[in-house]
Every structure is written in C-alpha cells, then in structure tokens.
Amino acid sequence: AGSIGRSVQLLGNFYRSNIKNMVIHHYDVEIIPQKQMSDDNKEKWLKRISYPILKYYVSNHDLMKKKLCFTDFRKNLYIINEKLDLLKYPRTSTDIPVDGGKETVHISLKYSATVDLSNINNYYANKSKEVSINEIQILNNLVNYTLHNDFSPFGRGFFDSKGQITVSASNETYSFA
C-alpha cells in the first residue's frame, strides 16, 4: 500500500498446515575436508559441497538409519523424537560421491539443543502467547528440507490466522505480520 508507482494485482497461495507435536534434537555439523585448505577456500568448498555431503550422510550413514531427520544442508542436523548416541560416532570419515568422483570428508556432530514444537500448536490454540525464535527456525528448516527434494521454492513465510506471530529470543520479542 504505497503512494508511488502503479498498482498491481498480486496473487498468493497460502495453505493451512498442521504441525505434529514433536521433539527436535538439534546438532551442529562440522564438515572437514581431508586435504588442507585455507579458510577462504574451505568456505567456498563448503558452499559447493555441503548439500551433497549432508544429503548422502543423512541417507546412508549407520548413525542415521531408521531415524527421522532433516538438515538445512549447511551446518545443522535435526533428529525427530530420538537423541543420537554420539559416543558411538564422535567423528566419522566418509567417502561421499560428489561431481562424478569421490570426496573423503570428516564429519563431527555436536549436540546443540532440544526443542519441543508442541508450543507452536499451543500458540495457535491460544494456550501460549509466544513462539521462540528456535521453534520458528527449526520449523522453517523442516519445511525447506521437505520441499527441497521435489520443488524449487520461491518466497515463503509464516503467517497465522491472528495476523502475526510473536517470536521471543531471550529478552527480545519479534513480530512477524
């Protein structure tokens, strides 16, 4: 609703979604190349290779078998309703198929947090007044992971029937409208 330029008709598709009550265990992922690189080259390498590495790791590694999990394909791994036994696999060396060849990488996982997404349902049922920034970020990563395999998403956002979502992180509160 601006005062400059010509008006246009905008069509958006919105759909209601239900979120199962689930506990998400968040892990930080460190991907280390076998060959030595400068920090700048390592960052470029990670941008190029983190997607195929994490996709392969989540689908094929023994630690992930029979686990419901998702990733942001960068530096975060999420396991639904079940914590990982990191003592069994503190650091993994894996040959991963990349660009028609194989790349040997070391993957380390570090437990970060446990987040209960039932609070989002409580918010919509008017049982809670706030949603944490972690809950929204994890939900965002779950939706992106789900869509990423079959679609190329273009723009997205979380909107609620009340007109806004209030998100709190420590002493800060954010509103999304």
Side-chain angles (χ1 to χ4, degrees):
S3 58
I4 299 175
R6 64 184 178 95
S7 64
V8 295
Q9 210 172 26
L10 181 63
L11 176 64
N13 59 347
F14 298 89
Y15 58 93
R16 181 181 209 121
S17 60
N18 294 316
I19 302 161
K20 282 187 172 183
N21 288 340
M22 59 182 122
V23 175
I24 308 293
H25 301 283
H26 175 201
Y27 298 86
D28 295 325
V29 179
E30 183 180 16
I31 301 171
I32 305 160
Q34 183 175 6
K35 55 189 172 200
Q36 293 292 334
M37 302 182 186
S38 68
D39 288 345
D40 190 42
N41 284 342
K42 182 180 176 187
E43 196 60 37
K44 288 176 188 174
W45 176 82
L46 275 173
K47 283 182 182 178
R48 179 180 65 83
I49 206 161
S50 63
Y51 175 82
I53 287 173
L54 286 172
K55 186 173 184 173
Y56 182 86
Y57 185 76
V58 164
S59 300
N60 296 292
H61 194 275
D62 287 343
L63 186 61
M64 300 297 131
K65 285 191 177 160
K66 298 182 182 177
K67 305 273 191 297
L68 293 173
C69 55
F70 60 99
T71 177
D72 65 354
F73 294 113
R74 289 186 298 271
K75 295 181 180 181
N76 296 291
L77 175 69
Y78 306 94
I79 309 296
I80 300 172
N81 295 332
E82 189 177 342
K83 230 173 168 180
L84 295 176
D85 180 6
L86 293 181
L87 295 175
K88 198 172 184 181
Y89 298 97
R91 181 173 168 168
T92 306
S93 294
T94 309
D95 288 328
I96 295 181
V98 178
D99 297 332
K102 285 194 177 191
E103 187 99 26
T104 300
V105 297
H106 307 288
I107 298 174
S108 294
L109 300 178
K110 180 182 171 195
Y111 173 77
S112 180
T114 297
V115 177
D116 187 346
L117 292 187
S118 65
N119 187 51
I120 294 173
N121 289 326
N122 291 339
Y123 172 80
Y124 285 116
N126 292 319
K127 295 177 184 175
S128 173
K129 294 183 180 186
E130 295 182 339
V131 176
S132 77
I133 193 78
N134 282 349
E135 292 163 342
I136 294 297
Q137 287 171 336
I138 289 173
L139 179 60
N140 182 54
N141 286 333
L142 174 59
V143 170
N144 284 337
Y145 179 82
T146 303
L147 295 176
H148 199 274
N149 293 324
D150 298 317
F151 303 101
S152 297
F154 177 78
R156 66 195 173 345
F158 292 103
F159 301 92
D160 70 5
S161 58
K162 300 175 189 177
Q164 73 175 25
I165 292 178
T166 302
V167 175
S168 64
S170 61
N171 294 330
E172 302 173 31
T173 300
Y174 305 92
S175 290
F176 299 91

